[in-house]
Amino acid sequence: MTLPTRTPRPVDAGVLWAGGVAAAVVAALIVIVGILFCRGVLDIPILAPKGDGVWGDADTIKYAAGAAVAALLATGLMHLLLLSTPKSGMFFAWIVSLATLAAMLAPFAVKASQESRIATASLNFVLGIAIGSLVSGSARSAVRKASFRTRPPLPGPPYPTR
């Protein structure tokens, strides 16, 4: 008995990766706005001591770049799951949720003030939700658009011609 072969789901990679790049930009901006809000408005240090000012030091740029890279990695993961895994959205949601949880717990493993740890964990939470939802939405569009493009045309006009 042979198992039926599964035809891969059509994925419009251009749409998926365009969404992934946009998600990377959004992720970097979330970090920058979050740091500005926490340091500038709430006067809570994130990543660096208060003496580094509202913009912080080079770690702010590293954090924003890391968020952008995380979004691109999530896009690559989603692309791989779409091509190879049944219920790819469910697996992606679990992976992103667990990665977000790990990012939220990480600040509590370092020595810092409680408010700084909570602020950093909150920023990581917002970042995880944004990356997960934006990449998932891009994937839904990429699969939907790809399936419309590969559908054969309907035979003949839908009504009789005179």
Side-chain angles (χ1 to χ4, degrees):
M1 179 172 143
T2 61
L3 296 174
T5 58
R6 187 173 88 85
T7 57
R9 153 182 1 173
V11 176
D12 187 336
V15 169
L16 177 64
W17 282 97
V21 169
V25 171
V26 170
L29 289 172
I30 285 172
V31 168
I32 291 169
V33 170
I35 289 173
L36 281 173
F37 179 73
C38 289
R39 287 185 181 160
V41 176
L42 301 178
D43 198 31
I44 298 172
I46 290 187
L47 301 174
K50 288 183 185 178
D52 287 330
V54 173
W55 282 105
D57 57 6
D59 286 342
T60 301
I61 301 302
K62 288 179 187 175
Y63 194 178
V69 168
L72 294 174
L73 288 173
T75 304
L77 172 66
M78 178 56 97
H79 198 171
L80 178 66
L81 290 172
L82 284 170
L83 295 175
S84 64
T85 310
K87 302 280 186 182
S88 53
M90 183 174 60
F91 285 105
F92 182 77
W94 270 99
I95 293 167
V96 169
S97 296
L98 290 170
T100 301
L101 182 60
M104 289 173 60
L105 293 174
F108 296 99
V110 297
K111 219 168 182 77
S113 70
Q114 190 68 6
E115 64 184 5
S116 180
R117 288 190 251 181
I118 291 171
T120 304
S122 299
L123 182 55
N124 290 344
F125 176 68
V126 171
L127 199 54
I129 289 175
I131 290 172
S133 63
L134 291 171
V135 172
S136 291
S138 296
R140 280 191 298 277
S141 293
V143 169
R144 189 177 313 123
K145 284 186 178 186
S147 65
F148 287 144
R149 288 184 187 158
T150 59
R151 185 176 295 155
L154 295 174
Y159 51 87
T161 59
R162 293 184 199 213

